[in-house]
């Protein structure tokens, strides 16, 4: 079973993504597979500008920013033991995990 498994993590919280990636790296290394990463992908920032007062003060505005952080992990030479360990792994709720085989 020498296929590549690609795991993509995405979250709005920087610490959650890093801790989740660290947890995955630990479990994969304990099973003896080779892991490449975590590779930080570019941060996606969405900025919203809102008028404070709808009629009078056009220049008074507020800006809000929503950042999403992403990490990429590649697992090589994985065994069934590695896949079982990844299935049993519990990650925090707030981290989106996408797995491609």
């Amino acid at each position: 079973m020498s296929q590549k498994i690609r795991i993509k993590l995405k979250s709005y919280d920087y610490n959650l993504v890093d801790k989740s990636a660290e947890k995955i790296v630990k479990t994969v290394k304990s099973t003896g597979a080779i892991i490449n990463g975590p590779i930080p992908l570019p941060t996606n920032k969405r900025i919203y500008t809102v008028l404070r007062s709808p009629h009078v003060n056009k220049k008074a505005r507020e800006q809000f920013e929503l950042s999403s952080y992403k990490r990429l992990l590649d697992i090589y030479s994985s065994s069934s033991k590695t896949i079982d360990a990844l299935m049993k792994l519990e990650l925090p709720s707030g981290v989106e995990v996408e797995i491609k085989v």
Side-chain angles (χ1 to χ4, degrees):
M1 241 175 133
S2 63
Q3 72 227 18
K4 179 175 80 168
I5 300 172
R6 178 164 277 183
I7 301 174
K8 197 173 185 182
L9 302 172
K10 181 181 174 186
S11 178
Y12 293 113
D13 188 10
Y14 186 80
N15 291 328
L16 279 180
V17 168
D18 282 343
K19 285 179 184 174
S20 301
E22 194 176 300
K23 205 182 253 189
I24 291 173
V25 168
K26 258 186 204 171
T27 54
V28 169
K29 280 189 177 178
S30 69
T31 59
I34 301 166
I35 189 161
N36 187 13
I39 303 164
L41 296 176
T43 304
N44 193 16
K45 291 183 181 179
R46 296 173 70 187
I47 300 172
Y48 298 101
T49 305
V50 180
L51 294 175
R52 284 189 182 183
S53 168
H55 304 295
V56 188
N57 303 323
K58 175 79 170 142
K59 291 181 181 175
R61 298 176 183 200
E62 272 185 299
Q63 287 192 329
F64 300 99
E65 182 177 282
L66 189 64
S67 301
S68 65
Y69 303 97
K70 294 176 234 155
R71 298 287 180 269
L72 191 69
L73 298 144
D74 285 337
I75 302 169
Y76 301 102
S77 67
S78 62
S79 62
S80 58
K81 190 178 174 186
T82 309
I83 295 167
D84 284 343
L86 284 173
M87 294 301 255
K88 291 176 184 171
L89 192 66
E90 287 188 26
L91 295 176
S93 64
V95 178
E96 185 181 315
V97 181
E98 188 180 309
I99 300 173
K100 289 184 182 174
V101 180

